Amino acid sequence: MLEGRKVVLAYSGGLDTSVCLKWFEEQGAEPYALYLDLGQGEPAEDVREKARAIGAREVFVWDAREEFARDYVAPAIKANALYGGRYPLFTALGRPLIAKKLVEAARRVGATHIAHGSTGKGNDQVRFDVTTGSIAPDLTVVAPVRDWNMSRPEEIEYAKEHGIPVPVTKESPYSVDQNLWGRSIEAGPLEDPDHEPTPDVFELTAEPEEAPDEPRYVELGFEEGLPVSLDGEELPLVELIARLNAVAGEHGVGRIDMIEDRLVGIKSREIYEAPAALTIIQAHRELESLTLTKDVLRFKPAVEQRFAELTYDGLWFTPLKSALDAFVDETQKTVTGTVRLKLYKGSSIVAGRSAPRALYSEDLATYDPESTFDESAAAGFIALWGLPARRWATVNPDPEQIPPAGRPHLK
């Protein structure tokens, strides 16, 4: 079926995609590799040489960090996108971009197939397949790991037999995915939800008990919902995220250990590191509380949840997602200001916030006699506000709510 076919593989350099590349060659296909730099931190030449050594006819190594930050991470920040209220979706956000670039590479070499290294139990298979179908339905998607039924130990043995260098051993069998927005670690002993992760699992974050004894304050500046400065220095989003990852990670901030509901219907135990993502979203939410009206703040979380679900479920390029983007963008026009955070031994606490268009007014909120709030208007407001409740009670008295006669009603 694949003999003589050109196949462009989304190549990460890890175990699954390295084995896939060799497997395609054994099937008689012409494999091409696409490595998209989303901030993984691996030298491009190392990736290129590894893929060529395994058998790739050509290796595309493209730097997509700015596009990823601008077109995928930025909308997620504005939407406070957290799947299950905790996971900042860094893997899910990268998949539609990778699929888009796979199609671009396939058009360039005249390939009829694109491929990925996702398993049949994961979410990424859905994201790659659905996204490709949304933008290039003429291409065929191949997922060898989903079809060949090799276990992870068997993949490791296959790699050894074929001289494929992969950073995985039986002693350290973790599956890792990383980009500038975060890092995920799974498999091996982490599949036991009662197993506490050992220090070797983490790379971006320090053990909280070993973090510095002095707290670190950071100040994030936002313009229309997006972070634009760190400690007063204006930075491009990619660099700001990288610096904040380092600072917050040094103080043990950004670890997530959660039971997650996968799209395919199973629960999975997930370990994430996302120092910058969690602190930015925390600060962004705080700034929204200062600049958005109560009704918007009450309604927006429902939009945020649906945004996160669409992202997680591989429905990035859909009409509903575009409509939600429009709503979120409208809410962000006044979300400009600064938020100060205190980082200390695994925690991030808001220490201050300010905004030029803040709806908070100290003159109204203060209890000092100089307050501009007209307290005399409160009695009339309460009378009208409680009118429906009083009218209901008058027409429909509830005997159980009426104190016995002659007995004092204790509050």
Side-chain angles (χ1 to χ4, degrees):
M1 175 178 136
L2 291 173
E3 189 170 356
R5 299 282 190 175
K6 292 182 178 180
V7 182
V8 180
L9 171 69
Y11 184 69
S12 70
L15 175 65
D16 291 332
T17 56
S18 294
V19 170
C20 284
L21 203 53
K22 191 66 178 179
W23 184 83
F24 279 128
E25 188 179 46
E26 290 187 333
Q27 301 303 307
E30 293 184 30
Y32 294 78
L34 168 65
Y35 178 86
L36 214 57
D37 182 3
L38 301 181
Q40 299 92 312
E42 188 169 354
E45 276 309 309
D46 291 351
V47 175
R48 195 189 309 275
E49 290 176 9
K50 186 189 299 184
R52 282 177 175 166
I54 295 172
R57 298 292 186 274
E58 189 173 351
V59 184
F60 301 106
V61 179
W62 295 342
D63 186 347
R65 289 174 296 172
E66 290 188 11
E67 184 176 354
F68 179 51
R70 181 188 67 243
D71 296 341
Y72 298 84
V73 173
I77 293 172
K78 293 179 181 180
N80 297 317
L82 296 171
Y83 181 74
R86 300 176 69 188
Y87 165 44
L89 293 161
F90 46 85
T91 295
L93 287 166
R95 294 327 189 216
L97 177 56
I98 295 173
K100 179 181 175 183
K101 296 300 182 181
L102 278 172
V103 172
E104 184 179 329
R107 301 301 191 210
R108 183 175 296 191
V109 301
T112 55
H113 293 62
I114 65 169
H116 55 80
S118 305
T119 71
K121 286 186 177 180
N123 302 302
D124 283 340
Q125 56 176 336
V126 181
R127 296 163 184 157
F128 282 125
D129 291 18
V130 172
T131 302
T132 302
S134 299
I135 60 179
D138 58 301
L139 295 179
T140 300
V141 182
V142 185
V145 179
R146 184 171 60 195
D147 301 329
W148 63 29
N149 292 320
M150 269 198 286
S151 67
R152 195 161 185 81
E154 288 173 337
E155 284 188 55
I156 294 172
E157 286 302 320
Y158 181 96
K160 287 183 176 180
E161 291 173 6
H162 292 81
I164 300 172
V166 291
V168 177
T169 66
K170 290 181 178 178
E171 293 73 31
S172 180
Y174 302 125
S175 176
V176 177
D177 186 70
Q178 182 172 345
N179 60 42
L180 64 88
W181 199 228
R183 178 175 181 265
S184 69
I185 316 96
E186 59 183 14
L190 299 177
E191 292 176 350
D192 177 2
D194 199 34
H195 171 81
E196 182 179 3
T198 50
D200 65 305
V201 169
F202 302 100
E203 287 187 5
L204 301 183
T205 56
E207 293 291 310
E209 59 269 25
E210 297 176 5
D213 292 329
E214 293 296 322
R216 167 69 185 271
Y217 288 85
V218 295
E219 185 177 85
L220 284 168
F222 289 82
E223 288 186 8
E224 296 191 2
L226 292 179
V228 295
S229 68
L230 177 61
D231 294 332
E233 181 183 357
E234 293 190 4
L235 296 168
L237 185 54
V238 171
E239 187 174 349
L240 187 150
I241 292 171
R243 288 199 195 181
L244 190 55
N245 268 330
V247 172
E250 179 187 1
H251 289 266
V253 174
R255 293 187 177 185
I256 304 164
D257 184 343
M258 65 183 289
I259 302 300
E260 186 173 293
D261 289 302
R262 287 189 179 176
L263 176 57
V264 295
I266 63 176
K267 288 185 180 289
S268 62
R269 194 275 186 90
E270 302 293 340
I271 304 294
Y272 298 122
E273 293 183 282
L278 294 188
T279 49
I280 287 173
I281 290 176
Q282 178 189 21
H284 179 256
R285 278 179 164 165
E286 192 66 24
L287 190 58
E288 285 187 321
S289 74
L290 195 62
T291 57
L292 299 182
T293 60
K294 182 174 70 173
D295 55 348
V296 173
L297 288 170
R298 286 181 174 180
F299 186 80
K300 188 168 179 277
V303 174
E304 294 171 356
Q305 179 178 335
R306 194 70 189 105
F307 181 104
E309 290 169 351
L310 291 175
T311 303
Y312 190 87
D313 294 348
L315 299 172
W316 185 267
F317 295 113
T318 59
L320 178 56
K321 165 63 172 46
S322 298
L324 296 184
D325 281 337
F327 169 82
V328 171
D329 284 342
E330 180 64 26
T331 68
Q332 299 303 291
K333 292 179 178 179
T334 62
V335 185
T336 295
T338 60
V339 178
R340 192 168 66 258
L341 301 170
K342 178 181 179 181
L343 311 177
Y344 183 66
K345 291 191 177 295
S347 68
S348 174
I349 302 170
V350 174
R353 73 290 279 164
S354 64
R357 300 173 75 177
L359 299 180
Y360 175 88
S361 168
E362 187 174 353
D363 289 341
L364 287 170
T366 182
Y367 286 96
D368 289 346
E370 296 79 16
S371 172
T372 57
F373 184 85
D374 183 4
E375 295 189 46
S376 65
F381 164 75
I382 293 170
L384 294 177
W385 178 256
L387 178 59
R390 293 199 308 277
R391 184 60 184 158
W392 174 267
T394 300
V395 176
N396 303 285
D398 184 352
E400 294 184 1
Q401 301 299 325
I402 301 174
R407 187 179 302 173
H409 180 51
L410 302 178
K411 292 184 179 179

